[in-house]
Amino acid sequence: MIEPIKPPQRKNPLLRTRLPASPPKPRSRTSHGFTRAAAEGRLMLQRCEACGTFTYPAREACPSCLSPGLAFVDAPCRGMLLAETTARVPSDVYFRERAPWRIGLVKMDCGPTIVAHLHRLRGGDTGPHVISARQERASRGLCPTRRGDSQHGG
Amino acid sequence: VTKSLRAPYDGIVMAAPVTIPYVRYSIESAQWWIGRALGALVAQAGIKASDIDGLCVSSFTMGTDSGIGLTQHFGLCVRWLDTIPLGGASAIAAVRKAARAVQAHDADIVACVAGDTNHVESFRLTLENFSRFNQDAVYPYGAGGANASFALIARNYMRTFGVTREDVGRIAVAQRANALRNPHALMKTPLTLEQYLAARRISDPIHLFDCVMPCAGAEAFLVMRDETAASLGLPAVRLLSTIERHNAFAEDPIQVRGGWAMDIGELYAMAGVKPDDLDVVQTYDDYPVITMMQFEDLGFCKKGEGAAFVRQHDLRIEGDFPHNTSGGQLSVGQAGAAGAYLGLVEGLRQVLGTAGPTQVKKASLGLASGFGMINYDRGLASGAAIFAGPSR
């Protein structure tokens, strides 16, 4: 049997209601490649078909050789966390309602530097990390990181 | 490709530094602020608007306008026009382009102007629409804006070189002391190091007094040849040297130096001066840690010695290293692209001896720098200029 839908709880008028807001929408067409990969639980980055350079963020030409052939390929997942911060006062309503946001700058072993969400990360603020891709509502794809999570290693 | 020597800026001058006092929020448009600045330029220089035959504009909040729309808006008929979207590097880029234009007689009098308004949503809209890399790969990760991006740079810099918040705070505290003498500064109350350290966290290690206050305002100056200035009887500042660099040191995994470090030898060689010769220095202070980085990259001390430099020097107007004498963006406010002009315009007033309450005694040689465009993970644009007043 299907359980009947419960009526919503009565609102406590003393509590502040979260403002309705959507995550920011503008995104380049090419960057949807990350979202597509994340939907399959894969971390894919663009790699130049001519010189093999991995790049990030989404580009239309290789920053090493200007070749236009940048294909999304499965990328090695390891990287070094260079620095982290916790954004406590975002300017965007969607993020401000869900603050704070912990982010970090990760230098991937395969080359590029990635701004990533830091999820369930303990310990110091630098060191080796495994980076993974998730379907996440706001960033639509890339890169929560978890220290030493070998399941997502690649 | 061999690099050729740059032509000197012989006889190129800047005049009529103009500041339209800032307000925290404005219901007016960017065009209103830019119009006020152009009007003040004309009044201060004693020229007619029709004498302006070159225009260089920077603004984040002009909406669909660029420089061309402003010519019709303000009734200017110019034969040289540029719109510079380089954020904090806009003023240095403007003076470089305008200087070459008047040097080549493509124009006689170029008005360089930057102005922005600040509505309730202006700052967030600028952030959201800043750049493609930002939209794709930064803004969706918490929208911390420049605060979060510079927090990552600051944390790495402070850890790498053993810099404490006290070290960085000295810069902000000294600038507030300067700002208290500037009637146009938005910050009107003293700031102690204790208050700086106790401020609320914004994006660790960036705290409240590390941040500039977005506001509305405008800044402007004229660029011309010295014979034009003489014919107008205008006190003028000679341009001695400039540098500009974009996307420098892309191989650094995280930013610990700006493009200045690449060109600093050229800056001083072209001007024929040493860092010690400067009477007044105006750095781009979007965050005090970026100012500390500039002390190193502009040659006042070695990389990693910025904190010691700040401890050893008094950065106030009466100090041994007068720096950001107006109070800088940290204490005057950041009026969008006008923030790029703030240091240079104050520097021009200093070497002209017209800075009033913030005047450094006998200032004749100045440096102003610019920095901007955190497109993705670092500030891409940097520049600097050295200039001399009539007394030198």
Side-chain angles (χ1 to χ4, degrees):
Chain A
M1 281 292 287
I2 298 170
E3 285 187 23
I5 297 171
K6 288 184 185 135
Q9 285 192 324
R10 289 190 61 177
K11 185 172 175 291
N12 180 345
L14 297 179
L15 290 181
R16 182 177 173 281
T17 304
R18 178 183 274 184
L19 291 169
S22 301
K25 292 186 182 67
R27 204 69 53 90
S28 73
R29 183 175 184 275
T30 305
S31 77
H32 288 101
F34 301 115
T35 314
R36 199 173 62 217
E40 299 175 355
R42 298 158 76 184
L43 173 65
M44 298 178 92
L45 295 176
Q46 285 179 298
R47 189 175 62 184
C48 176
E49 290 167 332
C51 73
T53 302
F54 278 97
T55 72
Y56 184 83
R59 284 183 165 91
E60 312 299 347
C62 172
S64 285
C65 71
L66 292 178
S67 158
L70 292 175
F72 279 90
V73 300
D74 286 308
C77 296
R78 294 206 164 269
M80 188 74 82
L81 181 59
L82 301 175
E84 69 153 282
T85 187
T86 304
R88 297 168 193 278
V89 196
S91 55
D92 192 282
V93 174
Y94 175 85
F95 293 108
R96 196 166 59 229
E97 291 288 326
R98 292 157 181 82
W101 291 83
R102 195 171 169 208
I103 59 168
L105 200 59
V106 181
K107 169 74 175 166
M108 300 298 287
D109 291 351
C110 63
T113 306
I114 290 177
V115 174
H117 292 300
L118 304 183
H119 286 203
R120 283 179 283 168
L121 187 80
R122 282 182 289 276
D125 73 347
T126 55
H129 286 278
V130 171
I131 195 158
S132 61
R134 303 284 166 78
Q135 270 291 13
E136 199 266 324
R137 192 170 175 224
S139 55
R140 284 187 229 158
L142 264 193
C143 302
T145 71
R146 293 196 286 179
R147 180 185 292 271
D149 184 345
S150 59
Q151 284 176 342
H152 292 265
Chain B
V1 184
T2 53
K3 280 184 75 179
S4 54
L5 277 178
R6 289 168 60 195
Y9 294 110
D10 286 338
I12 305 303
V13 298
M14 296 166 279
V18 159
T19 298
I20 306 301
Y22 298 178
V23 296
R24 174 72 169 109
Y25 289 106
S26 169
I27 59 168
E28 307 293 353
S29 63
Q31 286 82 350
W32 184 90
W33 286 94
I34 291 168
R36 289 277 310 276
L38 287 169
L41 271 183
V42 167
Q44 186 170 326
I47 58 176
K48 299 191 295 293
S50 57
D51 294 331
I52 294 173
D53 63 351
L55 178 65
C56 182
V57 185
S58 294
S59 178
F60 286 111
T61 54
M62 287 197 297
T64 45
D65 264 0
S66 71
I68 185 65
L70 298 190
T71 59
Q72 192 168 34
H73 196 134
F74 299 122
L76 299 175
C77 175
V78 298
R79 52 181 179 146
W80 184 92
L81 177 66
D82 205 346
T83 309
I84 299 186
L86 290 179
S90 296
I92 303 297
V95 75
R96 281 167 55 86
K97 291 169 201 290
R100 293 311 187 189
V102 299
Q103 191 170 31
H105 292 245
D106 287 346
D108 293 322
I109 300 179
V110 176
C112 295
V113 57
D116 267 293
T117 189
N118 190 36
H119 304 160
V120 172
E121 271 275 277
S122 297
F123 186 71
R124 193 195 66 74
L125 287 172
T126 299
L127 274 184
E128 185 177 8
N129 300 298
F130 197 75
S131 71
R132 168 170 155 163
F133 278 12
N134 183 65
Q135 276 184 344
D136 278 355
V138 184
Y139 194 79
Y141 290 84
N147 290 332
S149 297
F150 278 108
L152 295 169
I153 292 169
R155 174 164 279 188
N156 175 70
Y157 174 87
M158 292 167 75
R159 186 183 52 231
T160 304
F161 300 111
V163 176
T164 64
R165 286 195 60 225
E166 284 89 337
D167 297 329
V168 179
R170 286 169 197 275
I171 296 170
V173 168
Q175 287 189 202
R176 182 61 62 87
N178 293 346
L180 295 179
R181 293 164 63 166
N182 175 4
H184 299 321
L186 289 185
M187 304 297 175
K188 303 286 189 196
T189 52
L191 176 70
T192 65
L193 196 55
E194 291 68 36
Q195 288 170 318
Y196 170 89
L197 292 171
R200 73 178 169 119
R201 293 180 294 182
I202 302 296
S203 190
D204 336 33
I206 300 294
H207 293 59
L208 187 64
F209 297 119
D210 292 307
C211 304
V212 296
M213 182 182 273
C215 61
E219 307 260 355
F221 56 86
L222 296 174
V223 178
M224 61 187 76
R225 293 179 301 278
D226 51 4
E227 76 262 17
T228 314
S231 72
L232 295 167
L234 267 179
V237 178
R238 283 176 293 126
L239 181 62
L240 300 184
S241 73
T242 66
I243 53 171
E244 178 179 340
R245 182 66 68 168
H246 306 289
N247 195 25
F249 307 118
E251 68 281 8
D252 289 357
I254 184 167
Q255 188 159 45
V256 290
R257 52 186 170 167
W260 312 283
M262 198 170 266
D263 303 302
I264 193 63
E266 184 176 302
L267 179 70
Y268 290 110
M270 193 174 178
V273 301
K274 302 186 299 296
D276 283 350
D277 300 334
L278 295 163
D279 300 312
V280 61
V281 173
Q282 313 280 346
T283 64
Y284 189 79
D285 59 328
D286 50 354
Y287 296 88
V289 71
I290 297 299
T291 284
M292 187 178 281
M293 214 181 266
Q294 279 164 83
F295 289 155
E296 300 165 346
D297 296 345
L298 290 170
F300 300 108
C301 59
K302 291 198 183 70
K303 184 51 72 181
E305 294 176 358
F309 181 84
V310 168
R311 283 195 296 268
Q312 288 157 7
H313 289 88
D314 183 349
L315 307 181
R316 291 173 297 179
I317 292 166
E318 309 287 351
D320 59 334
F321 188 83
H323 169 255
N324 287 3
T325 44
S326 66
Q329 298 181 84
L330 286 168
S331 283
V332 179
Q334 180 179 61
Y341 275 60
L342 180 139
L344 179 56
V345 168
E346 169 72 6
L348 297 181
R349 280 192 290 257
Q350 287 287 343
V351 299
L352 286 170
T354 59
T358 63
Q359 183 67 50
V360 173
K361 287 197 183 76
K362 294 183 187 162
S364 65
L365 187 67
L367 178 149
S369 58
F371 182 61
M373 305 315 282
I374 192 145
N375 180 59
Y376 173 49
D377 63 339
R378 64 192 69 200
L380 290 186
S382 62
I386 295 177
F387 42 87
S391 60
R392 187 181 168 93

